[in-house]
Amino acid sequence: MTIYDIKVKTIDLKEIDLSQFKEKVILIVNTASTCGFTPQYESLEKIFKKYKDKGFEILAFPCNQFNQQEKGNEEEIKNFCRLKYDISFPLFAKIEVKGKNQHPLFKYLTENKPGLFGSKEVKWNFTKFLLDRKGRIIKRYAPATDPLSIQKDIEKLI
């Protein structure tokens, strides 16, 4: 199995295959609208605009598992992201990133790229996974890592 075998739902609840992102450098992020790290949307949008024409994608997956910091439905999330941060990268339907109902995408990511001390669980909102053009997980970043600080890693892959 590869990341390209996984199906996800867009923020408009349309099911797609991640295979449509083949040959792209991808940053996958679990997000939330009322988290202390929510302002990272601004940094994410900056790096998306800077690198999107070079084959870079950001895939944002809202999650309500951490202190219910993503209570809204998909329409509310989409409106918040577009109005407050003018997000132009793909947003997806709310998912669970840990636990018994963990989405297959995050199961794949966490099993193949454990966090600090080998932990396979996502610990908080805005955990980030950087993948190369072949879908290999290159690096996992902590929630506090500002997306602007990982530009050198992105540039190596582009």
Side-chain angles (χ1 to χ4, degrees), residues 8-16 74 91-94:
V8 294
K9 286 186 179 177
T10 67
I11 197 80
D12 297 316
L13 304 177
K14 294 178 183 143
E15 190 171 80
I16 64 164
E74 279 71 15
L91 297 167
F92 293 85
K94 273 190 352 187

Side-chain angles (χ1 to χ4, degrees), residues 34-87:
T34 61
C35 175
F37 297 125
T38 301
Q40 286 186 21
Y41 271 128
E42 188 175 329
S43 295
L44 289 166
E45 183 63 18
K46 281 182 184 175
I47 63 172
F48 178 67
K49 284 181 176 175
K50 183 174 182 178
Y51 299 113
K52 69 179 180 175
D53 294 334
K54 296 178 181 178
F56 177 68
E57 289 285 347
I58 293 175
L59 310 181
F61 291 87
C63 177
N64 194 41
Q65 287 185 286
F66 306 102
N67 283 356
Q68 283 91 40
Q69 294 181 338
E70 189 61 273
K71 290 182 183 174
N73 64 31
E74 279 71 15
E75 190 66 26
E76 292 167 328
I77 295 166
K78 181 168 77 171
N79 289 337
F80 170 81
C81 289
R82 301 263 156 77
L83 294 172
K84 177 111 173 126
Y85 293 100
D86 197 24
I87 297 305

Side-chain angles (χ1 to χ4, degrees), residues 2 14 19 21 25 32-33 36 46 65 91 111 142 147-148:
T2 72
K14 294 178 183 143
S19 62
F21 298 102
V25 173
S33 298
K46 281 182 184 175
Q65 287 185 286
L91 297 167
E111 285 183 357
L148 294 176

